[in-house]
Amino acid sequence: MRVLIVEDEPNLGQQLKNTLEGAGYAIDLAVDGEEGHFMGSTENYDAIVLDLGLPEIDGLTVLDRWRKEGRTAPVLVLTARDSWSDKVAGLDAGADDYVAKPFQSEELIARLRALIRRASGNASSELTAGDVRLDTRSGKVTRAGEPVKLTAQEYKLLSYLLHHKGKVVSRTELIEHIYDQDFDRDSNTIEVFVTRIRKKLGQDVITTIRGLGYSLEDPDA
């Protein structure tokens, strides 16, 4: 999943980037409101972490502009611990959740997981397709109850397809959502990872829709 962080404090921004990359997310980082607004308006993110106290353009204005532009990515705002008015203003402007500073990394990651699941219509932390199960909390994947070991990139690809089960996902969309901005989008790694996942989970787990992309569905659907 691809996440945008908009945070002007350098140490916190880098800490958030490192933490979320360690949790398996592809991260883009913006350091002021103007840059954050541009990136959030021109790229498709699975979630956005937005500080409210930003230079150039404040976070509430950035959020309000995104929503008026029709950008629907779930937004988690960062607020001061004792500022209830910031929390209310953020939610009223279109935020989906908030975390008060200082916060625990585990709470931030859990809230992001929940926002991304809900945005794709998944209430449970466990994503399934037939006998394939992926636990978003533990990162474990099983088939017919047996553990399956995936690489980090294989996991990201499978997770994205499971979050969008039943939909056709293009190669471009997969690249946009599992890699950050610097990735070579002409690379053929998506095809390589799909082949590897099929070898580990079965040839029928991911369907190739010629000319369109890939689809993952329940076998009985």
Side-chain angles (χ1 to χ4, degrees), residues 23 32 79-81 85 104 116 124 129 137 143 151 157 168 178 192 202 219:
D32 61 53
T79 71
R81 178 165 294 280
S85 59
Q104 296 295 320
I116 292 170
S124 171
R137 294 170 300 181
R143 182 170 191 187
T151 67
L157 194 152
V168 178
I178 68 177
V192 173

Side-chain angles (χ1 to χ4, degrees), residues 179-193:
Y179 293 106
D180 59 28
Q181 283 184 318
D182 298 328
F183 182 74
D184 176 10
R185 298 190 178 188
D186 292 328
S187 170
N188 69 340
T189 55
I190 295 298
E191 290 82 358
V192 173
F193 292 141

Side-chain angles (χ1 to χ4, degrees), residues 78-131:
L78 304 179
T79 71
R81 178 165 294 280
D82 297 324
S83 181
W84 64 267
S85 59
D86 279 352
K87 299 170 187 174
V88 172
L91 293 170
D92 282 344
D96 298 272
D97 200 355
Y98 65 85
V99 172
K101 299 179 184 179
F103 50 83
Q104 296 295 320
S105 298
E106 292 80 2
E107 179 186 6
L108 179 76
I109 293 170
R111 288 181 180 275
L112 270 180
R113 280 199 305 260
L115 287 181
I116 292 170
R117 285 199 312 268
R118 289 200 295 268
S120 59
N122 295 287
S124 171
S125 62
E126 190 173 69
L127 308 177
T128 65
D131 59 1

Side-chain angles (χ1 to χ4, degrees), residues 1-220:
M1 296 294 166
R2 189 174 174 201
V3 175
L4 172 65
I5 298 171
V6 190
E7 171 57 61
D8 65 306
E9 203 285 303
N11 289 337
L12 179 56
Q14 192 60 50
Q15 177 189 343
L16 285 168
K17 186 175 188 293
N18 293 342
T19 296
L20 293 180
E21 284 179 339
Y25 295 97
I27 301 299
D28 294 334
L29 176 62
V31 297
D32 61 53
E34 186 172 353
E35 182 183 26
H37 172 253
F38 174 78
M39 292 173 70
S41 297
T42 57
E43 297 286 343
N44 292 317
Y45 292 99
D46 296 292
I48 298 173
V49 178
L50 176 68
D51 189 15
L52 295 186
L54 296 169
E56 304 298 334
I57 308 173
D58 68 88
L60 284 176
T61 300
V62 170
L63 178 56
D64 184 61
R65 289 182 182 179
W66 281 335
R67 295 314 190 213
K68 287 180 178 177
E69 292 164 359
R71 309 302 289 188
T72 59
V75 174
L76 177 68
V77 297
L78 304 179
T79 71
R81 178 165 294 280
D82 297 324
S83 181
W84 64 267
S85 59
D86 279 352
K87 299 170 187 174
V88 172
L91 293 170
D92 282 344
D96 298 272
D97 200 355
Y98 65 85
V99 172
K101 299 179 184 179
F103 50 83
Q104 296 295 320
S105 298
E106 292 80 2
E107 179 186 6
L108 179 76
I109 293 170
R111 288 181 180 275
L112 270 180
R113 280 199 305 260
L115 287 181
I116 292 170
R117 285 199 312 268
R118 289 200 295 268
S120 59
N122 295 287
S124 171
S125 62
E126 190 173 69
L127 308 177
T128 65
D131 59 1
V132 174
R133 296 178 181 273
L134 183 151
D135 190 324
T136 60
R137 294 170 300 181
S138 66
K140 293 180 179 179
V141 176
T142 61
R143 182 170 191 187
E146 294 297 319
V148 178
K149 188 173 183 179
L150 300 181
T151 67
Q153 294 304 98
E154 291 165 3
Y155 177 90
K156 289 178 183 179
L157 194 152
L158 178 65
S159 175
Y160 191 82
L161 289 175
L162 281 168
H163 275 90
H164 298 83
K165 185 170 64 175
K167 300 177 182 178
V168 178
V169 180
S170 70
R171 176 183 172 278
T172 299
E173 182 177 346
L174 284 169
I175 289 175
E176 287 178 346
H177 286 266
I178 68 177
Y179 293 106
D180 59 28
Q181 283 184 318
D182 298 328
F183 182 74
D184 176 10
R185 298 190 178 188
D186 292 328
S187 170
N188 69 340
T189 55
I190 295 298
E191 290 82 358
V192 173
F193 292 141
V194 168
T195 299
R196 290 180 183 173
I197 292 170
R198 284 172 172 159
K199 287 181 179 178
K200 295 178 180 182
L201 295 176
Q203 293 298 317
D204 58 344
V205 68
I206 298 174
T207 302
T208 299
I209 311 298
R210 190 171 298 277
L212 297 176
Y214 302 96
S215 178
L216 191 154
E217 300 185 24
D218 281 312
D220 298 329

